[in-house]
Amino acid sequence: MKVLVAVKRVIDANVKPRVKADGSGVELANVKMAMNPFDEIAVEEAIRLKEAGKADEIVAVSVGPEKAQETLRTALAMGADRAILVKTDETVEPLDVAKILKGIAEEEKPGLVILGKQAIDDDANQTGQMLAALLGWAQGTFASKVEVGGETLTVTREVDGGLQVVELKLPAIVTTDLRLNQPRYASLPNIMKAKKKPLDEKSPADYGVTVKTRLKVLKTEEPASRKAGVKVASVAELVDKLKNEAGVL
């Protein structure tokens, strides 16, 4: 089975984002970038499926600028076999990403597509669901456990009430949650080997997609600063503050 894994280049999760002075967006110049954490989990899960003999090839895909090659090289160093960069300098919204992935899936014919449940820059949580709808494939979102058995896939999902177990017919789409696994670090030998692994460059037009901006950002603001907490001497004082100052009682 071939596994297709989508990865996105975002601001490193350990870096505090800064809003541009004009409020037009988040500052990306001279900021450390990395693979979206949920996508790291997706790559790790694909590698584990291959190590378990359930998959025989892993193809990493990214849609973005030239520098997204670095993100794909990270996926290759972790254990992916080859990569595809759909190069564009435009801001690509989830629907266009899903359309591009649909074209790649129809060309590559994977048995399974794994994506992070959301990217930490826009928190859209849309691409996996849109891709499943476009392809007409079964989907298992917010996965905390994945088991492949023959022509089916059992996915344990994180839902509001606890856990839900669903069985999907392959081919299928899976989006990963935090508890699915702990991604590995790429070793130095594997980082060196990754430089020689194939990485193809494509364009959205190769898959019949014209990138369009459907959303307009009106303004970006820093979150309001939180006030410092205070100590109270008694339960009565706590209740009084909650009632008269916080207005929550």
Short mmCIF file of all heavy atoms in Angstrom, two decimals, residues 142 144 156-165 177 179:
data_model
loop_
_atom_site.label_atom_id
_atom_site.label_comp_id
_atom_site.label_asym_id
_atom_site.label_seq_id
_atom_site.Cartn_x
_atom_site.Cartn_y
_atom_site.Cartn_z
N PHE A 142 -9.36 13.25 13.52
CA PHE A 142 -8.92 13.33 14.93
C PHE A 142 -8.48 11.97 15.45
O PHE A 142 -8.86 11.55 16.55
CB PHE A 142 -10.04 13.90 15.82
CG PHE A 142 -10.77 15.07 15.24
CD1 PHE A 142 -12.15 15.07 15.15
CD2 PHE A 142 -10.07 16.16 14.76
CE1 PHE A 142 -12.83 16.15 14.59
CE2 PHE A 142 -10.74 17.25 14.20
CZ PHE A 142 -12.11 17.24 14.12
N SER A 144 -6.57 8.99 17.14
CA SER A 144 -5.61 8.74 18.22
C SER A 144 -5.07 7.32 18.15
O SER A 144 -4.15 6.96 18.89
CB SER A 144 -6.27 8.97 19.59
OG SER A 144 -7.35 8.09 19.78
N THR A 156 -9.52 5.00 15.84
CA THR A 156 -10.07 5.48 17.10
C THR A 156 -9.99 7.00 17.09
O THR A 156 -8.92 7.57 16.94
CB THR A 156 -9.29 4.93 18.30
OG1 THR A 156 -9.33 3.49 18.26
CG2 THR A 156 -9.89 5.41 19.61
N ARG A 157 -11.14 7.65 17.22
CA ARG A 157 -11.24 9.10 17.08
C ARG A 157 -11.41 9.78 18.44
O ARG A 157 -12.09 9.27 19.33
CB ARG A 157 -12.44 9.49 16.20
CG ARG A 157 -12.43 8.89 14.82
CD ARG A 157 -13.65 9.34 14.03
NE ARG A 157 -13.66 10.78 13.87
CZ ARG A 157 -14.66 11.57 14.27
NH1 ARG A 157 -15.73 11.05 14.85
NH2 ARG A 157 -14.59 12.88 14.08
N GLU A 158 -10.79 10.96 18.58
CA GLU A 158 -10.99 11.81 19.75
C GLU A 158 -12.25 12.65 19.50
O GLU A 158 -12.29 13.46 18.58
CB GLU A 158 -9.79 12.73 19.95
CG GLU A 158 -8.46 12.02 20.13
CD GLU A 158 -8.12 11.80 21.59
OE1 GLU A 158 -8.79 12.39 22.45
OE2 GLU A 158 -7.17 11.05 21.86
N VAL A 159 -13.29 12.45 20.31
CA VAL A 159 -14.51 13.23 20.18
C VAL A 159 -14.84 13.88 21.52
O VAL A 159 -14.22 13.55 22.54
CB VAL A 159 -15.70 12.36 19.70
CG1 VAL A 159 -15.44 11.83 18.30
CG2 VAL A 159 -15.95 11.20 20.66
N ASP A 160 -15.80 14.79 21.53
CA ASP A 160 -16.11 15.54 22.76
C ASP A 160 -16.48 14.63 23.92
O ASP A 160 -16.12 14.89 25.07
CB ASP A 160 -17.26 16.52 22.50
CG ASP A 160 -16.84 17.67 21.59
OD1 ASP A 160 -15.62 17.89 21.46
OD2 ASP A 160 -17.72 18.33 21.01
N GLY A 161 -17.20 13.54 23.62
CA GLY A 161 -17.65 12.66 24.69
C GLY A 161 -16.66 11.57 25.08
O GLY A 161 -16.95 10.74 25.93
N GLY A 162 -15.48 11.56 24.45
CA GLY A 162 -14.48 10.52 24.75
C GLY A 162 -13.85 9.98 23.48
O GLY A 162 -13.21 10.72 22.74
N LEU A 163 -14.04 8.68 23.21
CA LEU A 163 -13.46 8.04 22.04
C LEU A 163 -14.54 7.38 21.19
O LEU A 163 -15.52 6.85 21.72
CB LEU A 163 -12.42 6.99 22.45
CG LEU A 163 -11.22 7.47 23.26
CD1 LEU A 163 -10.37 6.28 23.68
CD2 LEU A 163 -10.39 8.46 22.46
N GLN A 164 -14.35 7.42 19.88
CA GLN A 164 -15.25 6.75 18.95
C GLN A 164 -14.41 5.89 18.02
O GLN A 164 -13.40 6.35 17.50
CB GLN A 164 -16.05 7.78 18.14
CG GLN A 164 -17.01 7.16 17.13
CD GLN A 164 -17.62 8.20 16.21
OE1 GLN A 164 -16.92 9.01 15.63
NE2 GLN A 164 -18.94 8.18 16.08
N VAL A 165 -14.81 4.65 17.79
CA VAL A 165 -14.08 3.74 16.91
C VAL A 165 -14.89 3.56 15.62
O VAL A 165 -16.08 3.21 15.68
CB VAL A 165 -13.82 2.38 17.58
CG1 VAL A 165 -13.06 1.46 16.63
CG2 VAL A 165 -13.03 2.56 18.88
N ASP A 177 -4.52 13.32 15.43
CA ASP A 177 -4.61 14.10 16.65
C ASP A 177 -3.31 13.93 17.44
O ASP A 177 -2.46 13.08 17.10
CB ASP A 177 -5.81 13.64 17.48
CG ASP A 177 -6.45 14.80 18.24
OD1 ASP A 177 -5.72 15.70 18.65
OD2 ASP A 177 -7.69 14.80 18.41
N ARG A 179 -2.51 12.62 20.31
CA ARG A 179 -2.21 11.39 21.06
C ARG A 179 -1.95 10.19 20.18
O ARG A 179 -1.79 9.08 20.69
CB ARG A 179 -3.36 11.11 22.05
CG ARG A 179 -3.28 11.97 23.32
CD ARG A 179 -4.60 12.10 24.01
NE ARG A 179 -5.50 12.97 23.25
CZ ARG A 179 -5.45 14.30 23.31
NH1 ARG A 179 -4.56 14.91 24.05
NH2 ARG A 179 -6.29 15.04 22.59
#
